[in-house]
Amino acid sequence: MEIDKVEIQQQQQKMKQVHLFYCVESEELARNVAAHSELITLQSINWRNFDDGFPNLFINNAENLRGQHVAFLASFSSPGVIFEQLSVIYALPRLFVASFSLVLPFFPTGSFERMEEEGDVATAFTMARILSNIPISRGGPTSLVIYDIHALQAIVYLSIFLMQERFYFGDHVLPLFVTGIPLLKQRLHQLPESDKIIVAFPDDGAWKRFHKLLDHFPMVVCAKVREGDKRMVRIKEGNPAGCHVVIVDDLVQSGGTLIECQKVLAAHGATKVSAYVTHGVFPKRSWERFTHKNNGMENAFAYFWMTDSCPHTVKAIANKPPFEVLSLAGSIADALQI
């Protein structure tokens, strides 16, 4: 027993005391992260604006950050909030901190990484270049934590360069690509008849991203096929009959593909259909299509799980079935100790 206590004390001594700053819309998530660890202390920023609308920012307790491990929890939910957060992100490493970590749960331009014709602008590349120029702290490059980034068609975790001529991060940041799938797996095992669960993917891209993380579940893969002038969702492989089928993807926008998948799976005998996405983007309140009060959707989705990577959505769908939030707080707290 004494040896175990010594080992625990040694492990605790190796862990970092982290000062966590956060943007306005990520305050609830930041508080949940701090609640998971006594080693995380919340710090604050005065988010104000001058009369002309430009940010008037102040980092509280800045004089006491020298030699400390510092992190910032960001949410780039719209172009309008990115500049003020980048201003803080660029300032924090320059306060002689021991190390700096940036947690950006949702990389918002991750689906805009292709240049298919002359004139296309790959905004994901632009965002990566901006983050790659974060000043180096005393401890070295910034640790950049991102969850289930859409552009990782070939998943290579802990890699600096993204595959297939994707955008890349420079040497000033060390990207840590994390996934929310463990949260889903934990939730699925809590369900009754968890042995009757099948995982479905809406397309080959989702299968490539997640199948290795869910390989102990039976699987169904869907695909969009062209029939005349329409693109229809069809089952490419697998059989959902008699099972609770959970559609898994990295993010949702309008939700049209998920709804079409649900219809096809139900038509092929699925007893229940649920969905999981790491990032519930849902522009223009498109989440309303999935609520149980929406006509025609009462029994469509038994559960709709998402993480709290998009704070605006989390507030909007609170206490609205079938939505259920799986918090990233514990995972972020762990990532800040890496």
Side-chain angles (χ1 to χ4, degrees), residues 208-222:
K208 290 177 182 178
R209 279 187 287 273
F210 295 123
H211 79 278
K212 290 184 179 179
L213 302 173
L214 295 162
D215 58 3
H216 60 290
F217 289 102
M219 295 183 184
V220 169
V221 181
C222 298

Side-chain angles (χ1 to χ4, degrees), residues 164-268:
Q164 300 177 2
E165 300 181 348
R166 301 298 186 195
F167 63 90
Y168 65 93
F169 294 101
D171 293 337
H172 285 193
V173 293
L174 297 175
L176 175 62
F177 299 119
V178 196
T179 180
I181 293 297
L183 299 174
L184 172 63
K185 291 165 69 174
Q186 182 180 23
R187 184 67 182 93
L188 293 181
H189 288 305
Q190 295 170 352
L191 296 178
E193 297 184 341
S194 58
D195 59 329
K196 288 285 188 178
I197 292 175
I198 287 179
V199 170
F201 302 105
D203 52 40
D204 286 334
W207 178 84
K208 290 177 182 178
R209 279 187 287 273
F210 295 123
H211 79 278
K212 290 184 179 179
L213 302 173
L214 295 162
D215 58 3
H216 60 290
F217 289 102
M219 295 183 184
V220 169
V221 181
C222 298
K224 289 183 178 180
V225 297
R226 184 171 295 280
E227 295 184 0
D229 295 333
K230 297 181 179 180
R231 288 176 64 84
M232 310 291 289
V233 174
R234 294 287 182 262
I235 292 179
K236 180 180 177 182
E237 58 183 85
N239 180 11
C243 292
H244 180 183
V245 182
V246 180
I247 307 170
V248 176
D249 208 351
D250 57 341
L251 61 85
V252 59
Q253 297 268 2
S254 69
T257 298
L258 292 179
I259 290 174
E260 292 303 312
C261 284
Q262 183 275 332
K263 292 177 180 177
V264 171
L265 293 167
H268 282 76

Side-chain angles (χ1 to χ4, degrees), residues 65-70 92-93 95-100 137-141:
L65 295 178
R66 292 187 178 185
Q68 303 297 313
H69 300 286
V70 174
L92 285 171
L95 296 176
F96 295 94
V97 300
S99 69
F100 180 63
S137 68
R138 286 176 58 186

